[in-house]
Amino acid sequence: MTRLTRADLDAIPAYVAGRSPADLARDLGLPEAIKLASNEVPFGPLPGVVEAVTAAAAGSHRYPDPAAVVLRDRLSARYGVPADRLVTGCGSVAICENLARATCLPGDEVIISWRSFEAYPIVVAGVGATAIRVPNTPAHGHDLDAMAAAITDRTRLVFVCNPNNPTGTSVRRAELDRFLDSVPENVLVVLDEAYREFITDPDVPDGIDTYADRPNVAVLRTLSKAWGLAGMRIGFLVAAPEVAAAVRKVTTPFSTNLLAQAAALAALDQEEEMRRRCALVTGERDRLTAELRKLGQDLPESQANFVWLPLGDRSAAFGAALESRGVIVRPFQGDGVRVTVGTAAENDSFLAAAADAL
């Protein structure tokens, strides 16, 4: 049969989503299973979100505002940046894809730390570029010196995930300053700050406040995590006006859908409650870290809403052992296991299962 698709796509791994807890519970004959695999916040939608989505659904026979003007204006006021520097999208991962489209041609290179967000190599390969994977440091973080050394005249884009998914490690201001000063002005650095709201280390800089005025820096944020809109898929980019305009050109029309725009506006009204929930998450994150260290695990310090167990070749077996106990985590074969912070009760169940599995 004549091939109808690109042969190079055979080498791209499929994105792995977390397993359905309902499916696992049914398979095990349990009343319910616990999902700690997808970095969701476990407390439900923020107040007012369901009502806003319900009201917006009455207009779902109409297209949404393609420029998301009301939402962009709200984000502009909230983050103190002009609206022409903002781009919204179907989650920050979709904006990653659009950044690759806007900057790369086949044969160009994109530098990423590895292991980092598993979608990066997929979106890079999707535009025919090459992902240059720079190994993490022994402490499971970005090796910025090695990433700077990997830049060539073919480099168009660099992703810095801060905090890093899946390891939870963060880059502090002094080393990030030094790295950004070393990057050529024709290379765009993307600071992916999907987990910004969970950071408690004051030395980890806010990319929008600190670096968004640099022409070759773009900052990604999402409302999927701390703002509780994972199911609505909405994120945004802050970049120089020229970069933002180019990204808008390659963005799928109407991809920031009607319900997502309504949900985002309602969620942004609930900042105090969002921060209260983040405090609960970070408190539980610190408890999980301490308890896992008591079990003999050498965890890096996390600044996200998950922790990283560097189990190496034991990762898949550990994940399977926990699933057999009704707890879903996210193994990365050969590297480690990412565990999302859940409610206190969910975390207790995880710790009990982990103690048995370890």
Side-chain angles (χ1 to χ4, degrees), residues 77-348:
R78 165 67 180 75
Y79 292 96
V81 295
D84 67 345
R85 300 180 65 203
L86 282 158
V87 184
T88 62
C90 184
S92 58
V93 66
I95 303 176
C96 287
E97 184 176 12
N98 293 332
L99 281 163
R101 288 176 178 167
T103 59
C104 294
L105 292 170
D108 288 337
E109 295 177 350
V110 178
I111 294 174
I112 61 175
S113 186
W114 199 254
R115 180 172 291 274
S116 191
F117 183 32
E118 62 185 309
Y120 294 154
I122 298 172
V123 302
V124 171
V127 298
T130 301
I132 305 300
R133 304 186 188 196
V134 177
N136 290 346
T137 67
H140 310 287
H142 285 53
D143 188 338
L144 292 183
D145 290 339
M147 292 174 73
I151 294 174
T152 71
D153 58 3
R154 296 172 62 189
T155 305
R156 303 298 302 135
L157 203 58
V158 180
F159 282 107
V160 176
C161 192
N162 199 33
N164 186 44
N165 176 15
T167 64
T169 53
S170 290
V171 177
R172 290 178 166 174
R173 178 162 185 169
E175 56 183 321
L176 192 50
D177 284 350
R178 186 171 62 251
F179 172 73
L180 293 175
D181 288 342
S182 73
V183 174
E185 62 182 14
N186 65 333
V187 174
L188 183 65
V189 178
V190 180
L191 303 180
D192 187 346
E193 298 186 334
Y195 302 94
R196 172 66 211 174
E197 293 85 357
F198 302 106
I199 292 174
T200 55
D201 182 348
D203 289 334
V204 179
D206 181 309
I208 294 177
D209 291 346
T210 311
Y211 303 113
D213 61 336
R214 295 190 180 220
N216 69 330
V217 172
V219 183
L220 283 173
R221 295 284 180 88
T222 184
L223 277 74
S224 294
K225 312 302 182 187
W227 297 92
L229 298 181
M232 285 292 171
R233 308 305 306 127
I234 189 157
F236 63 95
L237 168 76
V238 178
E242 297 80 8
V243 174
V247 171
R248 285 191 204 99
K249 287 181 180 180
V250 297
T251 297
T252 303
F254 307 111
S255 58
T256 307
N257 73 65
L258 180 74
L259 303 187
Q261 291 185 41
L265 289 166
L268 289 167
D269 284 338
Q270 296 293 329
E271 180 154 355
E272 183 177 348
E273 174 62 12
M274 179 274 289
R275 296 200 178 279
R276 186 190 73 84
R277 295 180 180 194
C278 285
L280 294 175
V281 169
T282 58
E284 282 295 296
R285 175 189 73 198
D286 295 345
R287 181 172 76 92
L288 278 179
T289 300
E291 292 300 319
L292 287 166
R293 285 175 176 165
K294 289 178 184 177
L295 294 174
Q297 301 307 302
D298 184 19
L299 277 71
E301 205 69 42
S302 175
Q303 289 293 305
N305 68 329
F306 52 83
V307 297
W308 176 248
L309 280 163
L311 294 175
D313 292 339
R314 296 182 294 149
S315 301
F318 179 82
L322 261 68
E323 281 202 11
S324 72
R325 293 163 171 81
V327 179
I328 304 169
V329 294
R330 178 67 172 87
F332 293 83
Q333 179 63 35
D335 286 326
V337 177
R338 189 188 67 201
V339 183
T340 305
V341 178
T343 64
E346 289 172 339
N347 298 332
D348 286 342

